[in-house]
Amino acid sequence: MALPKIKQDATEARLSALDLPEGGWSARARGEALARVRAMGLPGARDEYWKYTRPDTLVGAEAPQAAVFDADEMPVFDAVDRLKIVFVDGVFDADLSDDLALEGVEIDRLAEARDIHWAQDLYGVLEAKGQSPVERPLAALNTAFASDGLLIRVTQTPSKPISLVYHHRSEVSDAILHHVVKVEAGAQMTLLENGPAAARFNKCMEVDLADTARLHHVRTQGRDHERRAATHIFARLGTESVFKTFTLTVNGVLTRNEVVVEFTGDDAVAHVAGACMGDGDFHHDDTVFITHDAVNCESRQVFKKVLRNGAVGVFQGKILVKPGAQKTDGYQISQSLLLDEDSQFLAKPELEIYADDVACSHGSTSGAIDDEGLFYLRARGVPRGLAEDLMTIAFIAEAVQEIEDEGLQEEIVGRVEAWLARRRS
Amino acid sequence: MLEIKNLHVKLEEEDKAILKGVDLTVEAGKVHAIMGPNGSGKSTLSYVLSGRDGYEVTDGTALLEGEDLLEMEPEERAAAGLFLAFQYPVEIPGVGNMTFLRTAVNAQRKARGEDEMSAADFLKVIRAKAKDLKIDAEMLKRPVNVGFSGGEKKRNEILQMAMLEPKMCILDETDSGLDVDAMKLVSDGVNALRDAGRGFLVITHYQRLLDHIKPDVVHIMADGRIVKTGGPELALEVEHNGYAGILEEVA
């Protein structure tokens, strides 16, 4: 079916502003991804999947300007013993990065194109698979045009996490990065991400977990307020593998985080969680699609949004249970804490189930701070403002607890406390 | 210590009077007990004194050491020395018990213009007090009341009371949900805090708790008023004759 003219024009306008990188081994995948983009067209305001989030600034030929943000606090994972890899406005920075060497892990850069590479079997492959049944054109655009990214293959559990750190130095930077993470059988790794990436950031990460592999992913987005970001994670889970991803988002005029998970092996676990803190001109969209195509897998989606001064939160979450995916355990909760009447939470939970022996539940709520808890704290002498902050921490706790490591949980809560404290004073 | 005069209270949302002229004075160093049937207004009295929303005082006064409690925010009442041990302690996920208590202790100190307690001092004090209440390090670390049994929650209330060292303690049905051993533990905790400078108001349905926390004065509350006041023997009378007998007698 031909695209509507207006969509075709918008897509070509964006494409004309981009150059296909020299791909080497990835050239073919990039060419195919470009064809996908042209076939699908970039998202438009009338697309059902973009009903609650305006895509125009994400797909426009030029990135809207975004002021460079300099934080007055220590970056979030600086205290963690880690292998640090830095991108400045989407450009790898060797001076700021550690050597890309970690026992048990092979790390290469996408930009260092060679003729053959293990990532050839994954790059753009999981993304392409994730285009059905719902189209994600920005991810295909990413596969075609990504300027760089990391190709991480974990063969043995490394001694420390890999930490991707982003810096934003240019008001007009328009970064497209694409990472591929493959964890081999029996290995596990923690992957951290933090920092403002660019004025506009399109990021895609493909994750392939072999049988019994584990990946823990913890990322923060913020406090660079004016940036726009569209991110995708495509994860494929083998038998008895575990994938846990958590995202804390603070500030940001526009963020859309999509997570697409497919269970292909039995007895695997995926936890997808996030908390966001929005104040004022803030629009945050979590869009999740989990496909159960294996037996006895567990998926959890836990999303909490704290919204004030007209901030907008969106959640679109789907659990698809395919025929034969018996003993599926699917859980989904999306909740918002609306700190005033101007803020808005839009939720579209969906379940589509074609197997008969499954347990799936979902819930979505919007509400104010719990009065009982607030009174309890105040009755102990905690002043109202601080008591409200503690109740806000309590509200996001269920999502934060999806992070396995207690130290990382504390890092995240510390950031939220600081965000709240800045607004109280 | 606590002086309540002619206190009239109604529910804010519906035009329903709950307290209809309560007069009560608790002296420093004394333990007063309030007993009464369900719906007599006992818990409302504790909530109104501690400043919970949803109630409207239509008449009367409540003073703590001469200061007007009813004009203060809940946190100001706490800093002034009022403590309510909740009938149903609230669970606060994501906030560690110890963090919560240190926040509360230091907020009160700050409100009174005192120096904050250092982390080291706080740790030392809370460890000793927790031990007396058989509260282990794990329970101190866990989120406030989350996953606590009924007895653990009540012990946690008493630990908070011990750490905050209030002048006036109100215990709202602290015996509900406690087995015999837990009741003994909680009562020992309360008795350890009995002091010439501190007043207690113990609200309960049953005489049982008063075997452990021996009151100086016992009040019977019915239909929003104190209808009878006496010594500890009044609690025994309730135990033997029920409220019906006493209410008939004062009617």
Side-chain angles (χ1 to χ4, degrees), chain B residues 178-197:
Chain B
L178 292 187
D179 60 29
V180 182
D181 294 339
M183 176 127 53
K184 174 100 177 37
L185 211 53
V186 164
S187 304
D188 288 349
V190 172
N191 289 329
L193 289 169
R194 288 180 76 157
D195 179 281

Side-chain angles (χ1 to χ4, degrees), chain B residues 34-38 40-46 173 203-205 221:
Chain B
I34 296 188
M35 304 181 73
N38 289 328
S40 56
K42 306 186 300 292
S43 287
T44 296
L45 178 62
S46 72
E173 302 204 18
I203 295 171
T204 181
H205 274 294
M221 193 161 180

Side-chain angles (χ1 to χ4, degrees), chain A residues 34 62 90 108 149 152 163 220 226 235 254 260 287 319-320 352 386:
Chain A
L34 178 58
E62 277 183 33
D108 294 310
I152 300 171
S163 170
T220 63
E226 296 179 6
L254 179 59
V260 181
T287 290
I319 305 174
L320 169 63
E352 194 176 332
L386 186 53

Side-chain angles (χ1 to χ4, degrees), chain B residues 79 105-116:
Chain B
V105 166
N106 282 333
Q108 290 200 14
R109 286 176 167 240
K110 202 174 156 194
R112 293 193 293 258
E114 300 166 12
D115 286 341
E116 294 193 358

Side-chain angles (χ1 to χ4, degrees), chain A residues 3-60:
Chain A
L3 289 177
K5 177 94 170 50
I6 184 167
K7 195 161 202 172
Q8 200 178 332
D9 290 349
T11 302
E12 289 305 325
R14 173 63 174 137
L15 294 178
S16 68
L18 292 163
D19 295 315
L20 267 190
E22 284 201 26
W25 60 266
S26 70
R28 189 174 158 186
R30 290 174 184 273
E32 288 171 0
L34 178 58
R36 279 197 293 281
V37 176
R38 288 212 157 98
M40 294 185 277
L42 289 173
R46 297 193 169 185
D47 295 5
E48 180 64 23
Y49 216 44
W50 290 84
K51 190 173 176 180
Y52 305 117
T53 298
R54 285 178 58 115
D56 49 347
T57 55
L58 295 172
V59 304

Side-chain angles (χ1 to χ4, degrees), chain A residues 326-342:
Chain A
Q326 304 295 4
K327 307 284 179 195
T328 286
D329 180 359
Y331 172 75
Q332 178 195 89
I333 184 92
S334 65
Q335 295 179 306
S336 71
L337 180 63
L338 302 177
L339 295 175
D340 53 52
E341 290 182 357
D342 301 328

